[in-house]
Amino acid sequence: MANALKASSLYRFMTHKRKVLSLYKKSLRHLEAWCYNLGRPHYCYERTLLRARFDQHKDEPSENRAAQLLRLGEEEFWENQSPDPIVWPNDGVEPGVLFERLNKYKIPEHYIEFWSAEEKAMFPDFLAKREKWIEIRKQTWEQEMKILQEWDKKNIEEGVPMTDQLPAAKEKDGYPPFWWHTVTRPLEQPERMTWFPRTANTS
């Protein structure tokens, strides 16, 4: 679990090609939303121009220049995204059918503190590891906050826009900041099973 990362931090580990493809796909979706009432021919014309802009720099030899173009493209998309994007029925965003579908399986991690002794006895290995994670969190909190403050100060001095990106661990194979939010993530299936005490069907 030393290499566990928050989902919001995975973007910086994606390859450049994957980031460009993701930008192209979401740009097409929002372009389609903008052209929804203008007719299919208008959308096809704008889609051709968009593809030409991407193809213009697909063989960029300079990695720095390619990264800069990607950043500018992300900023342009953010400024021009549709306020009413098209949402497919099975999308995980509102009003898609998958929106918050799994919320019933998510509970705050600290709810474990309210488990009864009988319930805790069902997961002795997990709770033993959890106590170690909590102890490590207490010992490393001040150090991790210091690393985070240094990272923010460095970005401010360099004029880098503030994002949710977290700094990498200073030590090899060390824990990244706030690693315990991933390690002690909510249980995927927190609902009591039929074999839990006092939950068996007595009828």
Side-chain angles (χ1 to χ4, degrees), residues 8 15 25 71 74 92 95 130 133 149 169 184:
S8 58
T15 63
K25 181 177 180 179
R71 180 180 62 82
E74 291 283 1
R130 178 174 177 271
W133 295 334
Q149 292 171 359
T184 58

Side-chain angles (χ1 to χ4, degrees), residues 106-130:
K106 299 178 182 179
I107 58 174
E109 185 270 337
H110 68 270
Y111 272 42
I112 297 178
E113 301 293 343
F114 302 102
W115 283 10
S116 66
E118 293 176 338
E119 293 170 344
K120 291 183 178 180
M122 298 289 180
F123 308 96
D125 297 338
F126 169 77
L127 293 176
K129 292 179 180 179
R130 178 174 177 271

Side-chain angles (χ1 to χ4, degrees), residues 4-17:
L5 292 171
K6 294 179 64 176
S8 58
S9 301
L10 296 179
Y11 178 80
R12 63 193 179 102
F13 293 98
M14 293 168 55
T15 63
H16 176 78
K17 179 180 179 181

Side-chain angles (χ1 to χ4, degrees), residues 81-94:
Q81 60 182 319
S82 173
D84 187 22
I86 298 175
V87 179
W88 301 104
N90 60 343
D91 277 354
V93 295
E94 191 175 8

Side-chain angles (χ1 to χ4, degrees), residues 193-203:
M193 302 301 176
T194 56
W195 43 266
F196 262 75
R198 302 186 307 279
T199 60
N201 187 2
T202 57
S203 58

Side-chain angles (χ1 to χ4, degrees), residues 25-83:
K25 181 177 180 179
K26 62 185 181 183
S27 298
L28 278 179
R29 293 302 184 194
H30 282 254
L31 179 61
E32 185 176 5
W34 278 116
C35 301
Y36 184 79
N37 295 322
L38 300 177
R40 188 70 179 179
H42 186 89
Y43 167 65
C44 292
Y45 174 74
E46 295 293 341
R47 180 181 62 184
T48 303
L49 296 180
L50 177 65
R51 179 57 184 265
R53 294 185 62 188
F54 276 83
D55 289 343
Q56 182 180 358
H57 302 285
K58 67 178 182 179
D59 297 323
E60 179 63 43
S62 173
E63 295 183 2
N64 293 335
R65 175 62 177 167
Q68 182 182 10
L69 290 172
L70 176 62
R71 180 180 62 82
L72 294 175
E74 291 283 1
E75 293 179 357
E76 181 178 347
F77 166 79
W78 180 261
E79 294 176 355
N80 298 297
Q81 60 182 319
S82 173

